[in-house]
Amino acid sequence: TLVDLKWRFSLLIFILAYALTWLFFGLIWWVIAYSRGDLEHLGDHSWTPCVNNLNGFVSAFLFSIETETTIGYGHRVITEKCPEGIVLLLLQAILGSMVNAFMVGCMFVKISQPNKRAETLVFSSHAVVSLRDDRLCLMFRVGDLRDSHIVEASIRAKLIQSKQTQEGEFIPLDQTDLSVGFETGDDRLFLVSPLIISHEIDERSPFWDVSRGQLERDDFEIVVILEGMVEAT
């Protein structure tokens, strides 16, 4: 869900995740100091507080930030006379690491999404059925507009249409593979220039028994899937 959100909402959640965590633990640090009486003994050198130089909520909030981000300026530091503070320090360090891993992971995945890269992959507006090397073929073209190449690209094609089995079962969205060169390795593309993808209409093709008139009347869809990795990343 976080990855699919718009950027403004993702950034808002990213900021709130850290800010609320800092505020939550800052409040607990302040409650510990208040309940122990540290705030009533400010300037008393004979008193050992839970956190040195913690004199209010703002300083507790700053100490929470320093603890979770491991900044550690040294002015505010926890003492060994505060077991509840030691437990809280461990909990905040563990939870802070989890928040870091979760939020940074979400941002990394969101940045690496190929939505914009996919816009530069162009498919031909029409597919044609024609003779090629004296064989009837269904053909379309795909091209890459960017200079950065897509490596290890592979292509698949699916025919999606309604189907009724011999037993009378009706399948509204039946999927059938269209061979685009899997047996010969032609489905693995090198997209340095636009390529024509060809599906041979032979005995194994679902279009083998379909006439031209029936092809124009039938209700079906061909979905083409192109997969690969961007050279730069």
Side-chain angles (χ1 to χ4, degrees), residues 160-194:
I160 301 177
Q161 64 179 351
S162 301
K163 176 184 177 181
Q164 189 164 4
T165 64
Q166 297 179 2
E167 293 78 17
E169 179 187 2
F170 179 74
I171 304 175
L173 293 176
D174 182 62
Q175 298 185 17
T176 305
D177 277 320
L178 295 180
S179 176
V180 288
F182 177 77
E183 297 86 356
T184 60
D186 291 337
D187 62 325
R188 298 164 65 182
L189 309 179
F190 184 45
L191 280 174
V192 292
S193 63

Side-chain angles (χ1 to χ4, degrees), residues 33-34 37-42 44:
Y34 181 81
D38 294 344
L39 302 180
E40 300 174 1
H41 294 82
L42 297 176
D44 186 357

Side-chain angles (χ1 to χ4, degrees), residues 34-178:
Y34 181 81
S35 61
R36 293 181 80 257
D38 294 344
L39 302 180
E40 300 174 1
H41 294 82
L42 297 176
D44 186 357
H45 298 288
S46 62
W47 179 266
T48 303
C50 182
V51 179
N52 288 328
N53 300 303
L54 195 153
N55 51 24
F57 177 74
V58 175
S59 58
F61 176 66
L62 292 175
F63 179 72
S64 175
I65 296 176
E66 294 166 13
T67 300
E68 192 166 325
T69 57
T70 65
I71 294 175
Y73 288 120
H75 183 64
R76 280 173 290 271
V77 60
I78 190 170
T79 63
E80 70 277 6
K81 302 295 184 180
C82 183
E84 62 269 32
I86 295 173
V87 172
L88 181 61
L89 184 70
L90 292 174
L91 289 175
Q92 187 171 4
I94 294 171
L95 185 62
S97 298
M98 294 173 63
V99 171
N100 281 332
F102 186 73
M103 297 311 300
V104 172
C106 287
M107 285 294 127
F108 178 78
V109 173
K110 190 169 181 64
I111 289 171
S112 61
Q113 278 187 312
N115 295 337
K116 296 299 181 183
R117 186 65 180 86
E119 293 177 0
T120 57
L121 284 171
V122 181
F123 290 85
S124 54
S125 302
H126 302 282
V128 297
V129 177
S130 180
L131 287 174
R132 196 180 201 195
D133 293 332
D134 203 28
R135 292 174 295 181
L136 203 60
C137 298
L138 170 71
M139 295 176 287
F140 58 91
R141 182 175 290 176
V142 59
D144 186 9
L145 299 181
R146 287 202 189 181
D147 293 333
S148 59
H149 298 307
I150 294 181
V151 295
E152 296 188 18
S154 62
I155 196 164
R156 292 181 293 141
K158 291 276 188 180
L159 173 66
I160 301 177
Q161 64 179 351
S162 301
K163 176 184 177 181
Q164 189 164 4
T165 64
Q166 297 179 2
E167 293 78 17
E169 179 187 2
F170 179 74
I171 304 175
L173 293 176
D174 182 62
Q175 298 185 17
T176 305
D177 277 320
L178 295 180

